[in-house]
Structure formats: structure tokens, C-alpha cells
Amino acid sequence: MNMIMDNVSLITVLSLSGLNEAFVMFSFACSDLSILSVMAYDRYLAICRPLHYHRFMNKLRLSQLVCFSWLTPFSILAIIITLTSRLTLCSDKIQRLYCVNWVIVLLACPSNNTTVHSIVAYFTILVYVFHGLLIVLSYMYLVRTCQGSMENRKKFMQTCVPHLTCLLTFLSTLAFDVMYMRFGSKNIATSLQNFISIEYLIIPPIMNPLI
């Protein structure tokens, strides 16, 4: 499936490459969130425990965090896509510019058992809820630490505000896309629906270097 050729319509014919596309899209979103959580941990160490920063953030730990940021989403989503590829679908058309796993699973025939899909999906949600909690806890400690020091407040404004802006930009665009996918109206212009489908793939990558 070629997403560029499909951009004049929301009817996409599902093929094997559609599963690869779903893998790439979800990997992008999940790895981005993993990287943002690692950045929050890095900011916590730099401001709250500056004397121990180089002991914790050595080359080995840095390599482990990079591998965590990329391999965790890739491994989870490889399992999800493998499970999805085994489903028998009752249709090969989706009302979306590109393939996403949730939409593909909705095309599964009633005879399919999707219990394992649900278990893996809930596990994935828990993993990324943990990512979110890590970010929240990091910023709770950061705010508490920075309250009593002008120097720390300056560090917070220089390093944490850009990170928070990137995080909020990514989460807001992703949440908007998910909410539209689940509850959005189909009675709007095709071009607008196409933009809504890809805005989280366009806005954060453009904004992040500027921020």
C-alpha cells in the first residue's frame, strides 16, 4: 500500500505492507514516548542529583537507556503485529489514510479469537502508563527541588520547559488522533480527515528541532 497514492481518498485497501505500515506508525509513537521518559529521568538526575549524575549516566547506562527506548516498543509491537497478521479479515478496506493495528483488528471476522490481542494490548497500555508515571514523578521531584534555588529554577527553565513543551505537543496531537479515530465524525471533508490522520506524524517532528 502506498500512503502517498491513497491521500485522495480515505478508502485504503489492506495488504501485507499495511501490517508493516502499522508497525512503523506505532513504533514511532511508542519509541517517542520512551525517549521522552528517558529525557525526564535525565533531567531529574541533572538537577536533583547533580553530584551523582556522571556515576548514574555513564556510557553503559546510556547505552542501556537507548536500547530500552528503541527495543521495548519494537519488541512489543512486533508481537502485536504478528498476532494481527494471523487474523482472518472480513474486509480489506479501512476508512483511514494509513493502517493502524486497532483498525485492522476491527476488520477481523467474528470467528477469530482476539483474547490474546486484548491481553497484549492491555499490557502495552500498562507499560506506557508506567512511562507516564515516570515522567510525572520526575517532574514532581524537579519542581520540589527547584523551588528553593534560583540556580535550579534557571536550569529548569532552560532544560525542562523545552522538554515539557515537546512532551505536551506530542501527547496532545497523539490524543487528538486517537480520540478522532474512536469518536470522530466521518461527515467532514476528506482533506481535513487526512490531515487529522497524519498531524501527529508531522507537527512534533517539525516543532521539536525548533523548540
Side-chain angles (χ1 to χ4, degrees):
M1 181 188 61
N2 189 325
M3 187 170 69
I4 302 299
M5 295 179 65
D6 289 336
N7 64 4
V8 295
S9 171
L10 283 178
I11 303 296
T12 297
V13 179
L14 183 63
S15 65
L16 181 61
S17 62
L19 294 174
N20 295 330
E21 192 174 277
F23 175 79
V24 170
M25 296 300 178
F26 271 79
S27 297
F28 164 75
C30 294
S31 60
D32 206 353
L33 186 56
S34 295
I35 291 170
L36 288 168
S37 66
V38 169
M39 288 173 64
Y41 174 67
D42 176 76
R43 293 301 84 204
Y44 159 75
L45 289 178
I47 295 178
C48 298
R49 306 186 68 180
L51 298 179
H52 302 281
Y53 180 82
H54 292 290
R55 182 165 68 90
F56 284 105
M57 294 299 287
N58 51 43
K59 291 183 178 180
L60 176 61
R61 179 63 57 83
L62 184 60
S63 300
Q64 291 172 341
L65 290 174
V66 170
C67 290
F68 164 79
S69 300
W70 288 101
L71 295 181
T72 299
F74 284 174
S75 301
I76 294 175
L77 293 167
I79 295 172
I80 293 175
I81 297 300
T82 301
L83 291 172
T84 302
S85 67
R86 297 178 180 179
L87 294 175
T88 302
L89 305 181
C90 290
S91 174
D92 63 351
K93 294 181 174 61
I94 62 172
Q95 297 289 326
R96 195 168 174 84
L97 185 61
Y98 56 85
C99 296
V100 291
N101 188 71
W102 169 255
V103 176
I104 297 173
V105 172
L106 290 179
L107 298 177
C109 298
S111 58
N112 289 280
N113 184 356
T114 57
T115 303
V116 178
H117 291 76
S118 299
I119 293 173
V120 175
Y122 285 123
F123 172 76
T124 305
I125 291 170
L126 286 175
V127 168
Y128 286 97
V129 166
F130 174 76
H131 281 52
L133 289 175
L134 175 63
I135 294 171
V136 170
L137 288 174
S138 297
Y139 273 92
M140 286 176 61
Y141 281 105
L142 282 166
V143 170
R144 188 175 68 178
T145 301
C146 294
Q147 284 179 341
S149 169
M150 180 63 70
E151 181 181 354
N152 283 338
R153 284 201 293 269
K154 185 177 179 180
K155 288 182 181 179
F156 184 89
M157 294 299 295
Q158 289 176 341
T159 62
C160 297
V161 170
H163 173 257
L164 273 177
T165 306
C166 292
L167 176 66
L168 293 175
T169 300
F170 172 73
L171 290 181
S172 59
T173 53
L174 182 61
F176 185 74
D177 179 68
V178 171
M179 293 296 289
Y180 177 78
M181 182 171 61
R182 297 295 299 272
F183 308 110
S185 172
K186 304 301 180 184
N187 300 320
I188 60 176
T190 300
S191 58
L192 181 57
Q193 292 188 52
N194 288 343
F195 173 75
I196 293 172
S197 297
I198 64 173
E199 43 89 26
Y200 90 92
L201 299 173
I202 294 176
I203 296 176
I206 291 175
M207 294 297 296
N208 289 351
L210 297 176
I211 295 170

